[in-house]
Structures are given as structure tokens and as C-alpha cells.
């Protein structure tokens, strides 16, 4: 059985050597896993427009996109994901979570210590190469 491919943008939000990690709530699929915040593309929406919208909705800040990283494909039991990561920074606002349980600014050298969502683990590997 072929699983539907879901396109998702995520934001690797940087502040110097710190990276923003968000923890999924108990009500979300894959509860309590850490991830780079983001969400599904709407029909006709570009990946960059998606990440700007999703970050505004999910964490209440305005971001600037710096760099597009290579996409990652990951197959979960119920869906196939094409994760489109962007390196970003917060240009305006203070973090206010609407969906996630919590967030943390993590030093780049300590990112692998968190229990990441599987597709996001592959983004961590990309970060080492591209920044």
C-alpha cells in the first residue's frame, strides 16, 4: 500500500549557536517528541510561505528565512512525509506556544540529547553539514 506523501515545512530557528526545539503536546501525534516547529503546506502555498504562516500560528513570532536545507523524506506507519527545512531567525515578537507543550533553546552541540521525532533526526544531520 502506498502511503500519501504529505509535504511539511519546518523552521530551524537559530540564535547564534542556540537552536529552538519544541516539544509536542500529549494531544498531538507522536506525543512528547521534540521537533522543529512547522506544519503542512496548504494547496497552492509555497514551502516558505507555509513556514512563515505556521510559525506565526504555532509560536506567535515573525521569522526571516535565511536558507533552505535539502528536503528529507521519512515514512511513518500512517504517512510518508516530505520535510522541507528552513534555517530562520526570529525578527519580531516573543514566543507564545499555541499547540506545543514547551520549548527550549538548545546549544548546537547538545541537540542530539533530545528525543526527536524521527524525520527531524535527519534534519539534525543536515545542520552539521550546512552551517
Amino acid at each position: 500500500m502506498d502511503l500519501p506523501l504529505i509535504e511539511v515545512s519546518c523552521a530551524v530557528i537559530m540564535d547564534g549557536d542556540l537552536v529552538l526545539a519544541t516539544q509536542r503536546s500529549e494531544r498531538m501525534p507522536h506525543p512528547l517528541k521534540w521537533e522543529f516547529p512547522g506544519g503542512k503546506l496548504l494547496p497552492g502555498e509555497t514551502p516558505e510561505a507555509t513556514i512563515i504562516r505556521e510559525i506565526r500560528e504555532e509560536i506567535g513570532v515573525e521569522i526571516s528565512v535565511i536558507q533552505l536545507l535539502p528536503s528529507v523524506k521519512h515514512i511513518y506507519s500512517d504517512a510518508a512525509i516530505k520535510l522541507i527545512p528552513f534555517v530562520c531567525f526570529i525578527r519580531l515578537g516573543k514566543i507564545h506556544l499555541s499547540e506545543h507543550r514547551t520549548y527550549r533553546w538548545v546549544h548546537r552541540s547538545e541537540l542530539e540529547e533530545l528525543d526527536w521525532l524521527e524525520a527531524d533526526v535527519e534534519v539534525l544531520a543536515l545542520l552539521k553539514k550546512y552551517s
Side-chain angles (χ1 to χ4, degrees), residues 62-115:
E62 298 295 326
I63 58 170
S64 290
V65 173
I66 303 301
Q67 180 181 9
L68 170 64
L69 297 177
S71 296
V72 169
K73 287 192 180 162
H74 187 82
I75 298 173
Y76 291 99
S77 59
D78 57 343
I81 302 291
K82 178 182 178 185
L83 187 58
I84 306 163
F86 291 94
V87 176
C88 310
F89 70 90
I90 295 175
R91 64 177 179 80
L92 188 64
K94 294 206 181 296
I95 294 173
H96 176 78
L97 301 177
S98 64
E99 296 179 14
H100 292 85
R101 182 174 194 251
T102 191
Y103 72 93
R104 199 190 276 181
W105 287 100
V106 182
H107 193 276
R108 291 171 59 112
S109 64
E110 299 171 344
L111 285 170
E112 293 177 4
E113 296 173 15
L114 297 178
D115 182 18

Side-chain angles (χ1 to χ4, degrees), residues 3-129:
L3 294 171
L5 182 65
I6 301 169
E7 290 189 312
V8 178
S9 285
C10 72
V12 180
I13 300 175
M14 307 284 299
D15 184 1
D17 282 334
L18 299 178
V19 180
L20 183 69
T22 52
Q23 187 180 39
R24 296 173 72 84
S25 76
E26 294 85 345
R27 298 176 308 282
M28 296 168 87
H30 313 282
L32 305 182
K33 290 277 194 177
W34 290 87
E35 68 178 353
F36 297 110
K40 296 176 188 143
L41 276 68
L42 297 176
E45 191 175 44
T46 67
E48 188 170 334
T50 296
I51 200 55
I52 291 168
R53 174 184 54 78
E54 284 284 347
I55 296 306
R56 183 182 302 128
E57 292 172 1
E58 287 185 10
I59 64 175
V61 297
E62 298 295 326
I63 58 170
S64 290
V65 173
I66 303 301
Q67 180 181 9
L68 170 64
L69 297 177
S71 296
V72 169
K73 287 192 180 162
H74 187 82
I75 298 173
Y76 291 99
S77 59
D78 57 343
I81 302 291
K82 178 182 178 185
L83 187 58
I84 306 163
F86 291 94
V87 176
C88 310
F89 70 90
I90 295 175
R91 64 177 179 80
L92 188 64
K94 294 206 181 296
I95 294 173
H96 176 78
L97 301 177
S98 64
E99 296 179 14
H100 292 85
R101 182 174 194 251
T102 191
Y103 72 93
R104 199 190 276 181
W105 287 100
V106 182
H107 193 276
R108 291 171 59 112
S109 64
E110 299 171 344
L111 285 170
E112 293 177 4
E113 296 173 15
L114 297 178
D115 182 18
W116 289 92
L117 199 56
E118 290 85 349
D120 292 72
V121 169
E122 298 178 52
V123 175
L124 289 176
L126 289 173
L127 260 183
K128 288 181 180 177
K129 289 186 210 171

